[in-house]
Amino acid sequence: MSDVALFNPASVKFTDAAARKVKILITEEENPELKLRVFVTGGGCSGFEYGFTFDEDVEEDDTLVGNAEVTLVIDPLSFQYLAGAEVDFKEDLQGSRFVVTNPNATTTCGCGNSFAV
């Protein structure tokens, strides 16, 4: 792991369910250096949308949130939109997916991946 400090800011919650799923996926990939990166991009039907990817790299200004020996990574631009949010993993009739519950979102689309502030 890099020399970037790992901490768990109270303003972003990385749920146990999400951490368990990340740990399973990392084990399947056989790469313990992987971290789940959540990011916000422009687009979607409401103006912004959430994205998830696995990443080995951590930048100096990234925010790291740890749970169950895995790490959630958030870049500074995305963090401003995610403060107070919860990153979770859900399995239901719509399928299996990582989801963000964001108190900053003033509107969201039906799929939950797009939002406005």
Side-chain angles (χ1 to χ4, degrees):
M1 185 167 213
S2 73
D3 58 346
V4 177
L6 180 66
F7 67 100
N8 193 346
S11 62
V12 176
K13 183 175 182 191
F14 184 30
T15 68
D16 292 343
R20 278 192 303 273
K21 186 61 176 182
V22 169
K23 194 169 190 172
I24 289 167
L25 293 170
I26 288 172
T27 300
E28 288 174 359
E29 289 296 317
E30 298 179 355
N31 183 352
E33 297 302 313
L34 290 175
K35 297 149 192 64
L36 180 66
R37 182 176 289 277
V38 59
F39 56 92
V40 174
T41 60
C45 53
S46 296
F48 295 101
E49 57 188 342
Y50 304 110
F52 295 92
T53 188
F54 281 96
D55 198 345
E56 292 180 349
D57 299 323
V58 175
E59 301 300 324
E60 185 177 309
D61 54 355
D62 283 341
T63 297
L64 306 178
V65 182
N67 186 348
E69 301 173 13
V70 294
T71 305
L72 177 71
V73 181
I74 310 165
D75 66 87
L77 181 63
S78 298
F79 187 82
Q80 67 183 336
Y81 296 107
L82 294 168
E86 176 183 86
V87 176
D88 197 8
F89 182 78
K90 301 231 184 245
E91 293 183 273
D92 57 23
L93 294 175
Q94 294 178 342
S96 302
R97 67 207 177 282
F98 290 100
V99 296
V100 176
T101 304
N102 190 342
N104 303 307
T106 56
T107 58
T108 60
C109 68
C111 70
N113 285 336
S114 180
F115 70 101
V117 290

